[in-house]
Amino acid sequence: MFKKASRVLAVSTLLAGSFFGVAQAEQQINFGIISTESSQNLKSMWDPFLEDMSKKTGYKINAFFAPDYAGIIQGMRFDKVDVAWYGNKAAMEAVDRAGGEIFAQTVAANGAEGYYSLLVAHKDSPINSVEDMLKNAKSLTFANGDPNSTSGYLVPGYYVFAQNKADANTIFKRALIGSHEVNALSVANKQVDVGTFNSENMERLEVTAPDKAAQLKVIWTSPLIPADPLVWRKNLDEGTKAKLRDFFMTYGSTAQELKILETLQWGKFKTSDNDQLLPIRQLELFKQRTDVANNDKLKADDKAAQLKKLDDELAKLEKRMAELAANTSAG
């Protein structure tokens, strides 16, 4: 009898422990952070913010780093990442392919609601413009951004390369792919001739490594890019979403919180949704249309069909953007 009771107690304890483990797991949030620079640098920047998130929400917040943007997107797709800071291009992939949903947008510490893509060369380089770069491409080494990066890949891919009917993968003597930090340091150290970068990371580099920033010159600046979104898994429960939304929308109400945000180069967050991606979707479609229009290997009928499909998609986007603009004006 005693042995039987012991077995029952052991099983009950095991089941209680399993249930407790599940309950504990539900109180954890994995926060994805895109790899704009080394994980060590990112960790020191993000830890105070994530600690505050943990205190205010009651959840254990785990930082989720991956070597590239795709790792964070895939993490969200398989429910390994619950919330993430993305660039717009990566957010578009997360929304379309990983069950993501935009709920907030970052704002720069100075109040700016956007930033700029840059092309940088060494300050001593004879390359001073996009025209110089394209003209001498066969003798240059180029550091491109992560394929899911807005400022490092999509924006220069359209404005610099697609509009000039050039392919960054083939026109240079050598083309590489790296994070914003790696590209900038490679240019500063004369390991590559030209690289993609952005204005936010340039400002950070001027603080963290001013000697390296001083070795760079900007040879091209893009149009304004909308500030980065924050994305959660659409299938998170509503209670969790409410806590996270409350945290982000109220964070920055004290001097200490603002100081932590300034370390991330941000001010207080603003609400957002998937419509934030409309200009980025338009840019992506324009780039695809340009690539198709310039593709001499396509048969005329195939080219016409692809162009019509892209034009139809662009028309839908333009209609939606016009509706939003009208609603904003009316408001």
Side-chain angles (χ1 to χ4, degrees):
M1 177 68 116
F2 179 75
K3 288 183 179 178
K4 182 177 180 181
S6 297
R7 286 197 297 271
V8 171
L9 179 61
V11 170
S12 299
T13 303
L14 180 62
L15 290 174
S18 298
F19 177 78
F20 181 74
V22 171
Q24 285 295 93
E26 290 174 348
Q27 297 300 307
Q28 296 191 28
I29 294 292
N30 292 330
F31 193 102
I33 299 169
I34 53 176
S35 55
T36 55
E37 52 188 285
S38 69
S39 295
Q40 183 178 353
N41 288 351
L42 288 169
K43 189 175 187 305
S44 65
M45 291 163 54
W46 279 89
D47 274 354
F49 178 77
L50 299 180
E51 286 170 12
D52 277 358
M53 191 188 304
S54 182
K55 290 174 188 173
K56 288 177 177 281
T57 62
Y59 298 132
K60 183 177 186 298
I61 309 296
N62 305 309
F64 186 98
F65 298 100
D68 54 27
Y69 289 28
I72 305 297
I73 297 166
Q74 287 295 93
M76 182 164 281
R77 179 185 174 195
F78 293 105
D79 292 354
K80 302 298 184 184
V81 170
D82 304 299
V83 187
W85 161 55
Y86 289 116
N88 287 282
K89 172 70 163 62
M92 185 169 69
E93 296 296 319
V95 167
D96 293 348
R97 297 176 173 81
E101 180 180 54
I102 293 174
F103 70 96
Q105 184 179 25
T106 61
V107 176
N110 63 5
E113 295 186 3
Y115 62 110
Y116 301 91
S117 172
L118 307 174
L119 288 185
V120 293
H122 193 274
K123 68 181 181 65
D124 298 330
S125 170
I127 305 299
N128 293 302
S129 65
V130 168
E131 291 73 25
D132 288 346
M133 181 188 72
L134 294 175
K135 185 171 62 178
N136 296 283
K138 285 298 180 187
S139 64
L140 302 177
T141 302
F142 178 70
N144 210 345
D146 186 296
N148 285 309
S149 170
T150 307
S151 61
Y153 191 88
L154 177 62
V155 170
Y158 175 67
Y159 287 105
V160 174
F161 297 106
Q163 288 199 339
N164 285 291
K165 300 181 180 180
D167 182 351
N169 294 314
T170 60
I171 64 169
F172 294 102
K173 179 176 70 175
R174 189 179 177 210
L176 310 169
I177 287 178
S179 68
H180 299 305
E181 180 187 45
V182 168
N183 287 355
L185 294 178
S186 296
V187 172
N189 294 328
K190 295 187 176 182
Q191 294 167 326
V192 299
D193 298 298
V194 181
T196 64
F197 203 32
N198 69 46
S199 56
E200 290 182 334
N201 284 87
M202 177 68 90
E203 290 171 9
R204 176 165 167 72
L205 193 67
E206 288 169 349
V207 173
T208 60
D211 56 327
K212 298 299 182 184
Q215 299 302 308
L216 302 176
K217 65 179 175 184
V218 175
I219 65 168
W220 174 80
T221 302
S222 75
L224 186 70
I225 302 168
D228 293 339
L230 290 152
V231 179
W232 58 30
R233 285 194 290 111
K234 202 159 44 172
N235 61 358
L236 278 178
D237 67 88
E238 293 305 316
T240 301
K241 287 182 179 179
K243 281 191 176 184
L244 290 171
R245 183 184 288 109
D246 183 65
F247 168 76
F248 279 96
M249 291 304 108
T250 59
Y251 196 76
S253 57
T254 69
Q256 178 61 26
E257 289 174 358
L258 285 173
K259 186 176 180 182
I260 288 172
L261 283 174
E262 284 174 10
T263 303
L264 295 166
Q265 298 176 277
W266 292 339
K268 294 182 73 172
F269 301 98
K270 60 181 285 190
T271 59
S272 190
D273 57 34
N274 290 346
D275 283 336
Q276 175 180 332
L277 298 174
L278 291 175
I280 306 303
R281 293 188 183 282
Q282 188 179 46
L283 191 62
E284 176 78 3
L285 285 172
F286 272 133
K287 183 178 182 300
Q288 290 178 28
R289 193 190 190 287
T290 302
D291 290 344
V292 171
N294 293 334
N295 190 342
D296 296 330
K297 296 179 180 178
L298 281 176
K299 294 180 180 178
D301 288 349
D302 290 341
K303 179 179 288 192
Q306 289 187 38
L307 289 175
K308 183 181 185 308
K309 182 180 178 182
L310 290 167
D311 286 339
D312 289 345
E313 291 180 34
L314 280 166
K316 289 178 186 177
L317 272 183
E318 288 167 6
K319 181 180 178 182
R320 176 62 181 156
M321 292 171 76
E323 289 171 353
L324 287 174
N327 290 338
T328 302
S329 300

